[in-house]
Amino acid sequence: MTSIRGAITVEANTSEAILDASKELLCEIIAANGSKNGLRLDQIIDITFSATKDLDAVYPAAAARAMGITEAGLFCVQEMDVSNSLPKCIRIMAHVDIPEKKQSDMVHIYLRGADVLRPDLAKKKLAVAIDGPSGAGKSTIAKEVSAAAGIIYIDTGAMYRAVALHNIIAGTDIKDKEAVEKSLNHISIDIQHDDKKKQRLILNNSDVTEDLRTQKVAEGSSIVASYPAVRQKLVTLQQDLAKKYSVVMDGRDIGTVVLPHAQVKIYLDASLKERVHRRIHELELKGEPAEYDSVLQAIESRDERDMNRTHSPLLRAKDAHYIHSDGMTINEIANEILKEIQKI
Ligand code: DC
């Protein structure tokens, strides 16, 4: 006996939507498993369905009965209400008897927004691109979304910061484009994740994650990010990561250049005033003194460079979902993005 897993998200808590989605999921599981013509219904021993708390209009198992699955044991349960979990979702576990197949031959099916639940099993990697200006809250939100969606978060700004840090330590003038571009031959960047899923940036075999968040490095990163050779190296690295893993990636050019085919693109914006306040709050939490005018000036000059450079400036992709986050809580923004993921 082997088991097959699957999940699908449902548009609405109506009998019709729940039955349609359950049927779609069962059909895909049947078609993808078994022999050439798919699974025979008499090979199904039992199916357990679970539904999130927001789905109670009908038992999903009714779809199996309607499809003629009459012999198998069917059972439905309601799931626990885990905060930030994928809403309106039906999960399935089916036990089947296919003597010629092993457990590792089973094809598990995750459809619509549910592919975020098991990106390792999903056929196509999921890419969520979040772009926006400095201080719009991208990294905070991207971390929330990646945790809720169960996929990894890639902070691309940290890579530009690492190039700046390397040059600052080496005493190179950051404004010397040729010197910075030459330094790329001596820079290796690797992204790792610790056991709390936090990104660690490894620069030439050293973990420099904690050294990237200074004002000097921020300023330098915005300058080196305008150099084409720097962008070329880092964009390739980012694209390679998105080929290997399902990702939430944030930056300035993710939806436009790095992952133009991302299934979900978000442009996260906030007013200059709000961004300055958030940055001051962030600095104060770290015990660093923050003066309104100097923070304002630093953000304005980064905006100016990031938005007006020749190569891959910060742009809102045509197909990006726009969120103006002034007055919104972290949860509200994350939920809006999770809803976009659910629509895929
Ligand atoms: O998001 P951040 O503040 O850590 O980014 C640091 C700098 O790197 C920012 O000023 C712009 C640049 N950057 C970029 O040009 N493209 C990206 N994908 C990410 C960051």
Side-chain angles (χ1 to χ4, degrees):
M1 184 171 79
T2 50
S3 73
I4 304 171
R5 291 292 329 271
I8 189 165
T9 50
V10 182
E11 275 160 23
N13 181 23
T14 62
S15 299
E16 199 189 354
I18 292 172
L19 294 176
D20 268 3
S22 307
K23 193 172 159 207
E24 182 181 336
L25 180 57
L26 286 166
C27 287
E28 290 267 349
I29 286 176
I30 289 168
N33 287 282
S35 58
K36 250 192 194 161
N37 296 325
L39 203 58
R40 288 196 326 265
L41 299 193
D42 65 339
Q43 290 176 315
I44 303 174
I45 298 167
D46 59 45
I47 309 174
T48 305
F49 297 81
S50 73
T52 42
K53 277 204 158 183
D54 45 11
L55 293 178
D56 57 6
V58 69
Y59 290 118
R65 291 279 179 245
M67 286 169 67
I69 305 175
T70 49
E71 295 299 315
L74 302 178
F75 185 56
C76 300
V77 288
Q78 190 176 53
E79 287 179 22
M80 54 213 137
D81 200 10
V82 177
S83 77
N84 265 339
S85 61
L86 192 65
K88 296 201 188 68
C89 184
I90 293 171
R91 293 169 170 83
I92 279 182
M93 183 161 71
H95 289 110
V96 295
D97 183 18
I98 321 169
E100 68 277 18
K101 300 264 177 172
K102 301 187 295 290
Q103 179 62 37
S104 55
D105 297 327
M106 296 300 104
V107 181
H108 309 280
I109 303 287
Y110 289 79
L111 299 173
R112 303 191 201 165
D115 61 353
V116 301
L117 296 172
R118 290 299 301 266
D120 50 333
L121 299 180
K123 287 178 213 115
K124 196 173 166 206
K125 300 281 176 239
L126 173 70
V128 179
I130 304 182
D131 290 302
S134 301
K138 297 183 299 293
S139 64
T140 310
I141 299 303
K143 277 179 211 153
E144 286 286 316
V145 171
S146 77
I151 57 180
I152 63 170
Y153 164 51
I154 308 279
D155 166 10
T156 62
M159 300 181 187
Y160 292 92
R161 287 172 184 257
V163 172
L165 178 69
H166 175 90
N167 280 281
I168 290 167
I169 293 172
T172 313
D173 176 6
I174 295 280
K175 294 207 168 108
D176 184 343
K177 176 169 168 257
E178 243 176 63
V180 171
E181 292 196 338
K182 257 194 191 160
S183 77
L184 293 173
N185 296 326
H186 310 287
I187 293 180
S188 87
I189 290 177
D190 188 23
I191 296 291
Q192 295 177 0
H193 288 84
D194 63 20
D195 46 8
K196 290 193 185 111
K197 302 226 167 111
K198 187 176 182 304
Q199 172 175 302
R200 311 298 308 179
L201 197 134
I202 314 299
L203 171 65
N204 294 341
N205 298 322
S206 299
D207 185 338
V208 296
T209 313
E210 309 306 332
D211 307 325
L212 300 175
R213 300 275 136 202
T214 65
Q215 196 49 46
K216 194 164 180 198
V217 171
E219 173 81 7
S221 64
S222 164
I223 297 171
V224 301
S226 66
Y227 302 154
V230 173
R231 300 207 71 82
Q232 203 177 1
K233 178 174 172 119
L234 299 186
V235 167
T236 305
L237 181 61
Q238 292 153 15
Q239 289 173 333
D240 285 348
L241 285 164
K243 273 186 210 145
K244 265 204 257 170
Y245 308 104
S246 288
V247 294
V248 177
M249 195 177 272
D250 81 350
R252 306 296 188 288
D253 58 342
I254 310 302
T256 49
V257 176
V258 181
L259 306 174
H261 304 299
Q263 296 94 329
V264 175
K265 294 183 190 177
I266 306 291
Y267 190 91
L268 186 61
D269 210 352
S271 65
L272 181 60
K273 198 170 157 202
E274 176 90 14
R275 292 189 284 130
V276 172
H277 281 302
R278 284 183 196 164
R279 189 46 54 90
I280 289 174
H281 182 63
E282 203 177 286
L283 290 168
E284 281 172 352
L285 283 181
K286 286 201 286 181
E288 289 176 28
E291 243 188 51
Y292 187 90
D293 285 347
S294 71
V295 174
L296 172 77
Q297 208 189 355
I299 290 191
E300 272 185 326
S301 79
R302 280 221 283 156
D303 276 359
E304 158 67 22
R305 253 194 311 266
D306 296 344
M307 291 173 180
N308 298 314
R309 64 183 178 223
T310 318
H311 301 281
S312 310
L314 167 63
L315 276 179
R316 180 173 154 193
K318 278 197 196 83
D319 48 351
H321 177 80
Y322 182 81
I323 301 179
H324 197 283
S325 66
D326 281 19
M328 286 175 82
T329 64
I330 293 172
N331 247 341
E332 284 168 344
I333 305 168
N335 282 338
E336 191 165 329
I337 298 177
L338 288 168
K339 269 191 204 141
E340 289 303 303
I341 297 176
Q342 228 192 314
K343 286 186 198 160
I344 302 170

